[in-house]
Amino acid sequence: MSLTAGIVGLPNVGKSTLFNAITNQKILAENYPFATIEPNVGIVTVPDERMDVLKEMYNPERFIPTAYEFTDIAGLVKGASLGEGLGNKFLSHIREVDAIVEVVRCFEDGKIIHVDGSVDPIRDIETINLELAISDLEIINNRLERVAKKARTTKNKDDLLEAEALEKSKEALEKNIPLRQIKYTEEEDKLLKSYSFLTKKPIIYLANISESELDSEDNEYVTKVKEYAKKENAQVVSLCAKVEEELSELDEKDKKEMLEGLGLDDSGLNKLIKATYDILGLATYFTVGKDEVRAWTFKKGMNAKQCAGIIHTDFEKGFIRAEVISYNDLIEQGSELKVKEAGKARLEGKDYLMQDGDICHFRFNV
């Protein structure tokens, strides 16, 4: 299951530095707007201590943790929806992602130019969110008249429902309410999916702070961002992009020592990855054996048959049943054999809702 988060923000807020940390690639990170022209894509390993335990237990030939894709998109400026800066090129790239990570500058540094001349995270957030809303509104206005006319003519149920959903969306955006805050029915969600509305995507506000503030209470800028995010039930992650970049260049031992020296129990990047998993409603199941230990990402609420299809479509088409044990039971008992002897191994049918930490073997016949 391929999932992507788009890293966005005004120029010079630390996006490209953060992306360097995410992928340990040395893309251009200069002190001027549009240092990133084409979207840069990087794959990162999702941190999961359970994988390390399974690796130790099975000593497999192949070890494949689950991964997550981050796309670094060129700095947005006021008027992007009208073609300013990189304009709609930026907006077309961001429509392809599953979630938005909005980097917000929450530190003072006279050496780094702010595109608006001063540090004001709420102004920056509102600038970006307004551009996203205007872009969505333009799509709605272009489509709504045609859909409404078709619905009046055909009286088709789906056309009528789509017109109503678009009208509901338009009213929300005109009141400065992002679409992710609107409650849609399952049918409306399905009809609106193809539009890939920007303000409907889940969002995380990433507060980029200075190294000196890592082990202290939130500064006034971060506090304001959290207050803003709370109104729309969004998450906030604080980190220092520069420190994350330095950490990415170290081996695990040195990284641990640096984190301890900074008074941190985990990197900001790991917290960000976990936060993106949370807002997208993702979880992990495992397949294990001497040949391979592998983690698989699935959306909470998916059944066993659907999860089998993540491995291969044939697994879903010919699904018979799933042999399932929980990670916690495996660790408690010490081996698969002992889990079975304790009566805690299960055979589940196609409608079984997969749980985070399930260890599965799928039986299928094509």
Side-chain angles (χ1 to χ4, degrees), residues 4 10 26 40 59 114 125 129 142 150 184 189 191 203 212 226 233 253 269 280 290 323 327 340 361:
T4 307
L10 294 176
K26 296 298 174 283
N40 292 273
N59 191 27
H114 190 287
I125 288 172
N129 289 356
N142 289 338
K150 183 181 178 184
Y184 294 99
D189 262 328
L191 288 167
I203 193 167
S212 62
K226 286 185 174 181
N233 199 29
K253 181 181 177 182
L269 176 55
L280 287 171
K290 288 294 182 183
E323 298 176 6
Y327 171 83
K340 292 175 182 177
H361 174 68

Side-chain angles (χ1 to χ4, degrees), residues 158-258:
D158 286 345
D159 291 337
L160 288 167
L161 188 62
E162 184 176 359
E164 290 174 4
L166 287 172
E167 189 62 49
K168 180 196 291 189
S169 303
K170 179 179 179 179
E171 290 175 3
L173 290 172
E174 289 177 340
K175 294 176 182 176
N176 201 29
I177 301 172
L179 300 186
R180 59 182 162 271
Q181 290 185 250
I182 305 303
K183 289 186 177 180
Y184 294 99
T185 65
E186 188 175 334
E187 291 81 5
E188 288 173 333
D189 262 328
K190 186 176 180 180
L191 288 167
L192 293 178
K193 189 174 182 180
S194 63
Y195 291 100
S196 298
F197 287 130
L198 301 174
T199 64
K200 200 170 185 294
K201 297 179 186 294
I203 193 167
I204 292 174
Y205 293 108
L206 186 68
N208 188 12
I209 60 177
S210 65
E211 180 178 345
S212 62
E213 295 173 313
L214 276 173
D215 60 350
S216 60
E217 294 294 322
D218 294 337
N219 65 32
E220 61 173 314
Y221 297 135
V222 177
T223 299
K224 288 179 180 178
V225 172
K226 286 185 174 181
E227 289 172 354
Y228 183 96
K230 189 175 181 181
K231 295 175 185 176
E232 56 178 65
N233 199 29
Q235 291 193 42
V236 178
V237 175
S238 296
L239 57 72
C240 174
K242 189 63 179 173
V243 167
E244 295 300 319
E245 186 178 29
E246 292 172 8
L247 284 168
S248 71
E249 297 172 348
L250 303 176
D251 60 29
E252 287 303 313
K253 181 181 177 182
D254 290 341
K255 186 182 294 185
K256 186 176 180 181
E257 288 179 1
M258 184 173 173

Side-chain angles (χ1 to χ4, degrees), residues 121 124 130 147 164 172 206 214 262 289 321 324:
D124 295 353
L130 177 60
V147 173
E164 290 174 4
L206 186 68
L214 276 173
L262 292 168
R321 56 182 172 269
V324 182

Side-chain angles (χ1 to χ4, degrees), residues 55-333:
K55 182 180 181 181
E56 184 72 23
M57 182 176 288
Y58 287 90
N59 191 27
E61 294 177 14
R62 295 183 304 278
F63 176 73
I64 309 174
T66 190
Y68 198 86
E69 188 174 288
F70 280 93
T71 302
D72 178 42
I73 302 170
L76 179 63
V77 295
K78 189 179 294 183
S81 57
L82 303 175
E84 294 294 327
L86 296 176
N88 291 322
K89 188 174 184 181
F90 161 91
L91 296 169
S92 66
H93 289 149
I94 196 176
R95 288 197 186 282
E96 300 167 8
V97 305
D98 301 293
I100 295 173
V101 176
E102 191 168 316
V103 183
V104 186
R105 179 171 167 177
C106 291
F107 66 90
E108 295 279 1
D109 189 335
K111 296 178 181 178
I112 301 178
I113 304 164
H114 190 287
V115 71
D116 287 326
S118 62
V119 178
D120 185 341
I122 303 306
R123 178 197 60 208
D124 295 353
I125 288 172
E126 290 177 344
T127 294
I128 292 173
N129 289 356
L130 177 60
E131 295 303 324
L132 302 184
I134 291 173
S135 181
D136 283 349
L137 202 51
E138 183 180 7
I139 289 176
I140 291 171
N141 288 333
N142 289 338
R143 176 68 175 162
L144 183 55
E145 187 176 346
R146 292 198 299 271
V147 173
K149 183 178 180 180
K150 183 181 178 184
R152 288 192 298 269
T153 303
T154 65
K155 304 298 182 184
N156 178 275
K157 180 183 175 183
D158 286 345
D159 291 337
L160 288 167
L161 188 62
E162 184 176 359
E164 290 174 4
L166 287 172
E167 189 62 49
K168 180 196 291 189
S169 303
K170 179 179 179 179
E171 290 175 3
L173 290 172
E174 289 177 340
K175 294 176 182 176
N176 201 29
I177 301 172
L179 300 186
R180 59 182 162 271
Q181 290 185 250
I182 305 303
K183 289 186 177 180
Y184 294 99
T185 65
E186 188 175 334
E187 291 81 5
E188 288 173 333
D189 262 328
K190 186 176 180 180
L191 288 167
L192 293 178
K193 189 174 182 180
S194 63
Y195 291 100
S196 298
F197 287 130
L198 301 174
T199 64
K200 200 170 185 294
K201 297 179 186 294
I203 193 167
I204 292 174
Y205 293 108
L206 186 68
N208 188 12
I209 60 177
S210 65
E211 180 178 345
S212 62
E213 295 173 313
L214 276 173
D215 60 350
S216 60
E217 294 294 322
D218 294 337
N219 65 32
E220 61 173 314
Y221 297 135
V222 177
T223 299
K224 288 179 180 178
V225 172
K226 286 185 174 181
E227 289 172 354
Y228 183 96
K230 189 175 181 181
K231 295 175 185 176
E232 56 178 65
N233 199 29
Q235 291 193 42
V236 178
V237 175
S238 296
L239 57 72
C240 174
K242 189 63 179 173
V243 167
E244 295 300 319
E245 186 178 29
E246 292 172 8
L247 284 168
S248 71
E249 297 172 348
L250 303 176
D251 60 29
E252 287 303 313
K253 181 181 177 182
D254 290 341
K255 186 182 294 185
K256 186 176 180 181
E257 288 179 1
M258 184 173 173
L259 285 171
E260 289 175 354
L262 292 168
L264 304 175
D265 56 0
D266 202 357
S267 71
L269 176 55
N270 281 356
K271 291 177 182 178
L272 172 60
I273 295 169
K274 290 172 183 175
T276 57
Y277 253 54
D278 186 42
I279 66 168
L280 287 171
L282 304 178
T284 303
Y285 76 84
F286 306 99
T287 51
V288 298
K290 288 294 182 183
D291 58 336
E292 179 182 277
V293 166
R294 183 163 183 167
W296 303 87
T297 299
F298 69 97
K299 279 189 175 286
K300 294 175 183 177
M302 289 179 70
N303 61 38
K305 185 177 179 181
Q306 292 169 323
C307 285
I310 293 172
I311 298 177
H312 197 285
T313 53
D314 284 350
F315 282 33
E316 184 172 5
K317 290 176 184 176
F319 181 90
I320 299 173
R321 56 182 172 269
E323 298 176 6
V324 182
I325 63 177
S326 77
Y327 171 83
N328 289 338
D329 285 340
L330 177 63
I331 300 309
E332 183 181 315
Q333 298 297 324

Side-chain angles (χ1 to χ4, degrees), residues 4-9 13-20 22-23 27-29 35-42 69-75 90 93 97 101 103:
T4 307
I7 304 173
V8 304
V13 297
K15 294 189 302 82
S16 294
T17 303
L18 175 66
F19 187 77
N20 285 342
I22 286 173
T23 62
I27 64 169
L28 184 62
T36 309
I37 303 300
E38 295 296 333
N40 292 273
V41 179
E69 188 174 288
F70 280 93
T71 302
D72 178 42
I73 302 170
F90 161 91
H93 289 149
V97 305
V101 176
V103 183

